[in-house]
Amino acid sequence: MSVEEKFEKLSIDHHVKDDTANNKLLDKYAHKIKNDQFSFSKVKKTTKDKANRATVENVLDPRTMRFLQALMNRGIISDFNGCLSTGKEANVYHAFAGDGVSRASGTLPDEESLLARLTQEERAVQASVGGKKEYAIKIFKTSILVFKDRERYVDGEFRFRNSRSQHNPRKMIKIWAEKEFRNLKRIYQSGAVPVPKPVEVKNNVLVMEFLNRGDGFASPRLRDYPYKDTDSIRQYYCTLVAYMRLMYQVCGLVHADLSEYNVLVHNDRLYIIDVSQSVQPEHPMSLDFLRMDIKNVNLYFGKMGIDIFPERIIFQFVISESLDKFEGDYKSSKDLTEYVESNLPVKKTEQDEMEDEVFRSLYLVRNLEGLEERDFDRFTEGKFDLLKSLLAHDMEKNFTAAEQQFEFDDENDSSSGSQDDDGEDEDEEESDGEDEEDVYYTTDDEDKVLKGKKYEDKDAKKLRKQEAKDAKREKRKTKVKKHIKKKLVNKTKSKK
Ligand SMILES: Nc1ncnc2c1ncn2[C@@H]1O[C@H](COP(=O)(O)OP(=O)(O)OP(=O)(O)O)[C@@H](O)[C@H]1O
Ligand SMILES: [Mg+2]
């Protein structure tokens, strides 16, 4: 029996509906996907049979299988078990940790054990009796439909920006998995917000700690969590609001897909998952993503029948730099709840709802530096809302959307010298065929980042350099040209 056949035999625990919907969507638009160029270049480059790249469940193509086998060979994982979830962008599998001992090179992995599937009960027994560490393995799909949607998160994210890679699904997926790994690591190391511990990433395969409910099942999503009472709903709500602020202020990230589906309740604490799309506050759309996160969280908890806080006030709470820092215990949901409750008023009146509606329709920019040329007309027509007041001032000024005024930050004007206008650009230093490199990132206890083969320090250095370069380039991209800024300021002055 072929590997693919064996894999098809594995049953899928849940999300089956999602998968059917996904397939329907894929069928409907399959003819519109232009993948001829992609397969053509691949065929040209290699003499391998196209079947080598065929995927099982859109995920486990032979190459991915080889990575999994390599993980087993290196003793990172032992048994690779069943599928925990089949989602839009990735499948998540269960595996037991290996003994950490590399098999002699050339040892062929045992295909049987790679595809062996344990029942939940067997997993629970092995974990409790054998004391085995469990991992969740997230394998990103290389489907082009899904991949297309990712660009807006990676565009403008200078840590991962690599324009050429963005047109190559394989490279893109690698960036995506790496992005999730690095975001997880950043949050995990902060200690402020619970996330599964990241273990390793290689191409489209991410290994992390498995959050176990204790009986072989994964810990439940917030969406499926059986709350004890209203108090516990309220406490989880406040904790999640606090986590948004801590993620922003301490970890420097906006989740960008936060909802009851991407939060697990593990050992009575909320764990944030699915951070591949999370962006830094510098990302041009970070505030839009944050607003969306807040809306999702409020929508869910509002439906759960508790009092919620106004969206714009949560927004301000998350980004305010002048607000007192949280000084309680990160692990205490009581402390987190108190912190949130003492800073945020409950949403009560119709006026509050109206204000939130206006807030949802606002066009968010970070400041005048983030104003793009194409927005100039909208701005001058008065349709453009600059949230400078919201960004710059603190809670005392209790932001009301209706009171907003345009404000200009011209303090950096002198720094935008004439070089702004010459559009000079640095050379792009991008290497092709990157996806062929055997690069691993791992997190061990000393936070040592290991990289595969001979590229050990070179890669880290390259990445750091690229980040700095991209940051500069990104800044230039969104900088308003000096003459436009002048026009803009003059125009507003004359309006006053
Ligand atoms: N570390 C983990 N421990 C336990 N279960 C996990 C872990 N990571 C993910 N899961 C399970 O897998 C599901 C999907 O994970 P995730 O949200 O990261 O992937 P996804 O592809 O974005 O899924 P979707 O498209 O459905 O949002 C989660 O809802 C959760 O049930
Ligand atoms: Mg998810």
Side-chain angles (χ1 to χ4, degrees), residues 311-329:
E311 287 167 39
R312 67 192 189 285
I313 303 286
I314 300 178
F315 183 87
Q316 193 174 28
F317 170 72
V318 172
I319 65 173
S320 169
E321 282 170 17
S322 53
L323 189 75
D324 287 342
K325 290 203 164 55
F326 174 70
E327 282 178 350
D329 177 1

Side-chain angles (χ1 to χ4, degrees), residues 176-327:
W176 207 242
E178 249 170 52
K179 197 158 151 42
E180 173 138 24
F181 180 82
R182 289 183 59 180
N183 287 342
L184 272 181
K185 196 172 152 201
R186 187 190 273 216
I187 305 171
Y188 184 80
Q189 285 176 343
S190 78
V193 177
V195 289
K197 182 180 178 180
V199 176
E200 173 124 1
V201 69
K202 187 179 189 298
N203 285 30
N204 61 331
V205 179
L206 168 73
V207 184
M208 62 185 142
E209 169 191 5
F210 175 64
L211 303 177
N212 190 339
R213 197 172 73 176
D215 53 3
F217 282 91
S219 296
R221 300 175 299 184
L222 200 52
R223 158 115 197 5
D224 308 318
Y225 183 68
Y227 296 97
K228 279 182 233 115
D229 48 32
T230 318
D231 261 6
S232 69
I233 303 177
R234 171 110 187 128
Q235 212 163 67
Y236 281 142
Y237 173 55
C238 291
T239 305
L240 201 51
V241 170
Y243 283 167
M244 279 194 264
R245 175 168 166 85
L246 293 175
M247 257 183 90
Y248 191 93
Q249 301 288 343
V250 182
C251 315
L253 287 173
V254 171
H255 187 286
D257 190 19
L258 193 63
S259 74
E260 63 275 26
Y261 294 92
N262 284 331
V263 179
L264 302 186
V265 186
H266 179 62
N267 293 339
D268 294 330
R269 292 181 74 199
L270 298 183
Y271 277 67
I272 308 292
I273 59 162
D274 205 359
V275 292
S276 54
Q277 69 293 309
S278 303
V279 295
Q280 294 181 300
E282 295 76 27
H283 188 287
M285 288 188 72
S286 67
L287 296 181
D288 292 86
F289 294 148
L290 174 63
R291 178 173 54 182
M292 189 176 73
D293 285 353
I294 294 170
K295 189 178 167 199
N296 288 343
V297 168
N298 261 15
L299 202 66
Y300 168 70
F301 280 100
K303 272 195 226 147
M304 298 301 290
I306 55 162
D307 285 339
I308 48 174
F309 310 114
E311 287 167 39
R312 67 192 189 285
I313 303 286
I314 300 178
F315 183 87
Q316 193 174 28
F317 170 72
V318 172
I319 65 173
S320 169
E321 282 170 17
S322 53
L323 189 75
D324 287 342
K325 290 203 164 55
F326 174 70
E327 282 178 350

Side-chain angles (χ1 to χ4, degrees), residues 75-120:
I76 307 281
I77 59 171
S78 56
D79 314 84
F80 181 69
N81 302 312
C83 188
L84 295 166
S85 147
T86 58
K88 293 184 298 294
E89 43 173 62
N91 287 359
V92 182
Y93 299 86
H94 177 277
F96 281 116
D99 51 14
V101 179
S102 291
R103 307 285 171 273
S105 63
T107 307
L108 278 177
D110 178 354
E111 213 175 68
E112 281 293 326
S113 65
L114 183 67
L115 294 180
R117 184 175 199 276
L118 302 177
T119 63
Q120 258 84 26

Side-chain angles (χ1 to χ4, degrees), residues 118-224:
L118 302 177
T119 63
Q120 258 84 26
E121 292 76 30
E122 285 167 336
R123 284 209 301 248
V125 170
Q126 281 212 23
S128 61
V129 179
K132 280 193 179 179
K133 222 191 220 177
E134 296 172 277
Y135 288 150
I137 303 194
K138 184 164 177 177
I139 305 182
F140 288 81
K141 297 184 179 186
T142 48
S143 133
I144 292 170
L145 263 186
V146 179
F147 143 80
K148 280 201 161 174
D149 196 37
R150 293 181 176 148
E151 283 180 7
R152 70 187 183 126
Y153 294 94
V154 177
D155 275 345
E157 175 66 286
F158 60 78
R159 292 179 302 160
F160 296 92
R161 200 168 149 272
N162 179 336
S163 54
R164 250 190 272 165
S165 293
Q166 288 186 35
H167 303 292
N168 177 337
R170 280 227 159 255
K171 284 189 184 178
M172 183 69 188
I173 223 76
K174 184 183 162 191
I175 291 177
W176 207 242
E178 249 170 52
K179 197 158 151 42
E180 173 138 24
F181 180 82
R182 289 183 59 180
N183 287 342
L184 272 181
K185 196 172 152 201
R186 187 190 273 216
I187 305 171
Y188 184 80
Q189 285 176 343
S190 78
V193 177
V195 289
K197 182 180 178 180
V199 176
E200 173 124 1
V201 69
K202 187 179 189 298
N203 285 30
N204 61 331
V205 179
L206 168 73
V207 184
M208 62 185 142
E209 169 191 5
F210 175 64
L211 303 177
N212 190 339
R213 197 172 73 176
D215 53 3
F217 282 91
S219 296
R221 300 175 299 184
L222 200 52
R223 158 115 197 5
D224 308 318

Side-chain angles (χ1 to χ4, degrees), residues 28 48 50 63 85 122 126 128 154 162 189 200 251 271 280 299 315 377 380 389 414 431-432 458 462-463 475:
K28 193 171 169 195
K48 283 179 199 159
K50 215 175 166 186
R63 191 202 279 236
S85 147
E122 285 167 336
Q126 281 212 23
S128 61
V154 177
N162 179 336
Q189 285 176 343
E200 173 124 1
C251 315
Y271 277 67
Q280 294 181 300
L299 202 66
F315 183 87
D377 289 344
T380 49
S389 59
S414 54
S431 56
D432 254 345
K458 218 175 96 189
K462 200 171 145 194
L463 203 66
K475 208 170 167 192

